[in-house]
Every structure is written in C-alpha cells, then in structure tokens.
C-alpha cells in the first residue's frame, strides 16, 4: 500500500518537475513564448482573471465570471435551439413520410459521425468570432 502511494506521488512530482524544466528550456530559447508557461506565469494569469475589474466607483466582476456567464449563455442558447429543432424535425419525420424520406438518409449518415469529429466543421461553417454572436447578448451583460 505504501509503495503504491509513494510511486503515485513520485509520478506526479516527476511530471511537475519535468513540466517546469521544459518550461524553463522553452523560455530560454524564446523569452516571449506562451506555449509552456512556468508555474509563476500560470499563477500571474490566475490572479489576473480572478481580480476585480473596473474602478472603485464602477466595480466590475472578475474577468473569469464574465467569461463564464457568456459561455454558459451561449451553451444554453445553442442547446435550446438544437433540442427544439431536433424535437420539431423528429416529430415531423415521424408524422409525415414525405418529410422523412429526404431527411432520413442525412440523419442516418450524420448519426455515424462522432459529434466531437464534427466540431471543426461546425466552427468552419458557423465561425466563432464575437462579431457573429453580438445579437445573442446574455441578459447578464446588458
């Protein structure tokens, strides 16, 4: 039992030390690199996203909570639109054969593709910049 625990802790320590050594190596090669930040840089970033924004007269919540709110809003809107459209299309396909006939092969084809594999295609088609989502402002940000 103790050997297992020591090996588990040792593995985590080796991983953390390896990461820090790799980060220091990359920073020596390119001081402006942000691909593998050191633990000190990670700590600075965490403090930055969790510190309150704005001024004392006009305080704003930390950046993390604003981003979290926007992400959850987009998730809920997207989920709601997707589920609603799926229910409507599914009921129509079940009720009318003339709707099912052209849509059934498409649904069968898409059901075989893992959803995660479709993500790059969704991003390419719909985009993911802020310009396209400006109409879907969260009520929290208004």
């Amino acid at each position: 039992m103790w050997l297992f625990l020591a090996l588990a802790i040792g593995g985590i320590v080796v991983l953390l030390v390896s990461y820090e050594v790799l980060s220091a190596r990359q920073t020596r090669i390119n001081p402006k690199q942000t691909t593998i930040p050191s633990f000190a840089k990670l700590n600075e970033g965490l403090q930055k996203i969790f510190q309150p924004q704005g001024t004392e007269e006009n305080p704003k919540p930390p950046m993390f909570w604003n981003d979290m709110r926007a992400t959850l809003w987009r998730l809920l809107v997207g989920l709601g639109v997707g589920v609603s459209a799926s229910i409507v299309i599914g009921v129509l396909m079940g009720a009318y054969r003339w709707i099912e006939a052209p849509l059934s092969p498409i649904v069968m084809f898409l059901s075989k593709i893992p959803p995660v594999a479709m993500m790059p295609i969704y991003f390419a088609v719909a985009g993911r910049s802020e310009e396209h989502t400006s109409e879907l402002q969260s009520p929290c940000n208004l």
Side-chain angles (χ1 to χ4, degrees):
M1 175 69 178
W2 291 105
L3 179 62
F4 179 79
L5 184 62
L7 288 174
I9 292 172
I12 293 171
V13 168
V14 167
L15 181 69
L16 294 174
V17 168
S18 299
Y19 178 86
E20 187 63 32
V21 168
L22 184 61
S23 172
R25 178 180 163 271
Q26 286 300 108
T27 303
R28 260 194 324 275
I29 293 170
N30 179 9
K32 294 183 179 180
Q33 69 91 16
T34 56
T35 307
I36 307 172
S38 66
F39 289 118
K41 290 282 185 189
L42 287 172
N43 188 28
E44 285 176 28
L46 284 173
Q47 288 178 358
K48 183 179 177 183
I49 67 170
F50 282 106
Q51 75 185 16
Q53 305 291 310
T55 62
E56 286 197 24
E57 298 83 33
N58 185 17
K60 296 180 180 177
M63 199 178 354
F64 175 80
W65 296 117
N66 284 335
D67 292 347
M68 182 65 73
R69 233 181 266 122
T71 299
L72 287 175
W73 174 251
R74 290 178 186 136
L75 173 73
L76 292 175
V77 168
L79 188 65
V81 168
V83 168
S84 300
S86 297
I87 290 173
V88 169
I89 291 171
V91 167
L92 290 174
M93 284 177 68
Y96 302 105
R97 284 190 145 333
W98 60 274
I99 293 178
E100 180 186 10
L103 293 181
S104 184
I106 297 169
V107 171
M108 289 302 205
F109 174 75
L110 292 176
S111 71
K112 305 296 182 213
I113 302 172
V116 174
M118 293 293 289
M119 293 301 281
I121 296 169
Y122 297 147
F123 285 140
V125 170
R128 57 182 202 117
S129 70
E130 294 295 318
E131 300 161 7
H132 300 295
T133 58
S134 62
E135 308 85 51
L136 293 176
Q137 287 293 323
S138 164
C140 305
N141 294 339
L142 298 176

